[in-house]
């Protein structure tokens, strides 16, 4: 293995240990953060819809950054290459495949009820007004209901216990 100027031995033995230079590493980090920001929770708070076209554009930006950082290409066994090529098929059997749910095998749960495909949300929840907020979770079909959300958040619970402790004194 040819050792470049930035050589760092890989303890897992999967990689050559030759990372890209600092400038290219920064470009890669910036593109990944851009994708994470696009699919993050704050998009829901800002009420912005995700589109597959924009997600594909973000992934293509990461592909371009990887190509710039590694012009000779990544080896076939590299997980980054597998994730960029075809994430669902090629990452099966790796530790990363647990985060994927196939669209045909997905099940949507809200209010401890499973949504049936083809039915409207209003059929399941009733005619809610537009200010109604529900928390829905995706699971694989046949695994049962996901864990319930706590009624009181951790921060609220800590504040309440501090208040009651102070009141007791």
């Amino acid at each position: 293995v040819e050792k470049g100027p930035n050589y760092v031995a890989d303890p897992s033995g999967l990689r050559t240990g030759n990372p890209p230079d600092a400038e290219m590493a920064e470009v890669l980090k910036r593109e990944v953060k851009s994708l994470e920001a696009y699919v993050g929770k704050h998009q829901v708070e800002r009420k912005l819809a995700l589109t597959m076209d924009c997600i594909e554009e973000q992934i293509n930006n990461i592909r371009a950054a990887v190509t710039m950082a590694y012009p000779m290409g990544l080896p076939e066994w590299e997980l980054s290459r597998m994730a960029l090529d075809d994430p669902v098929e090629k990452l099966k059997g790796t530790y990363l495949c647990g985060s994927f749910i196939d669209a045909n095998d997905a099940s949507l749960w809200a209010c401890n009820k499973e949504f049936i495909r083809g039915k409207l949300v209003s059929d399941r929840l009733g005619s809610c007004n537009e200010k109604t907020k529900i928390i829905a979770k995706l699971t694989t079909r046949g695994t049962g209901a996901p864990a319930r959300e706590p009624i009181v958040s951790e921060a609220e619970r800590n504040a309440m216990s501090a208040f009651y402790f102070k009141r007791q004194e």
Side-chain angles (χ1 to χ4, degrees):
V1 173
E2 188 177 317
K3 296 182 180 180
N6 302 328
Y7 180 78
V8 178
D10 183 28
S12 67
L14 293 175
R15 294 173 182 84
T16 60
N18 291 315
D21 61 359
E23 183 181 320
M24 284 284 108
E26 198 58 43
V27 170
L28 282 168
K29 287 179 186 176
R30 186 177 63 237
E31 292 301 330
V32 169
K33 284 187 182 190
S34 172
L35 176 61
E36 287 175 346
Y38 183 73
V39 298
K41 288 183 180 180
H42 64 277
Q43 292 289 79
V44 175
E45 294 165 1
R46 290 193 279 166
K47 297 182 181 180
L48 296 174
L50 299 179
T51 62
M52 280 306 292
D53 292 337
C54 290
I55 292 173
E56 281 294 323
E57 181 183 330
Q58 296 284 334
I59 292 173
N60 287 338
N61 289 345
I62 292 175
R63 272 192 198 106
V66 167
T67 304
M68 287 171 28
Y70 298 99
M72 65 286 199
L74 293 171
E76 292 178 15
W77 64 84
E78 175 64 42
L79 292 177
S80 304
R81 178 179 174 177
M82 290 181 195
L84 290 172
D85 287 347
D86 187 11
V88 176
E89 289 302 316
K90 293 199 177 172
L91 291 177
K92 283 185 179 173
T94 67
Y95 70 93
L96 296 172
C97 74
S99 61
F100 294 114
I101 297 177
D102 187 23
N104 297 326
D105 197 33
S107 176
L108 183 67
W109 287 79
C111 305
N112 213 21
K113 296 178 183 178
E114 185 174 11
F115 281 52
I116 300 167
R117 285 184 185 265
K119 291 216 171 197
L120 298 174
V121 174
S122 61
D123 295 340
R124 200 65 163 145
L125 299 175
S127 58
C128 303
N129 84 29
E130 60 195 38
K131 293 184 180 180
T132 301
K133 176 182 173 183
I134 63 164
I135 296 174
K137 294 187 177 184
L138 274 178
T139 61
T140 53
R141 189 176 298 150
T143 58
R148 287 179 158 226
E149 290 289 318
I151 295 171
V152 179
S153 72
E154 185 75 21
E156 290 173 334
R157 190 174 61 78
N158 289 340
M160 287 187 335
S161 61
F163 172 77
Y164 288 118
F165 180 76
K166 196 174 189 181
R167 187 174 169 191
Q168 266 184 341
E169 289 178 346

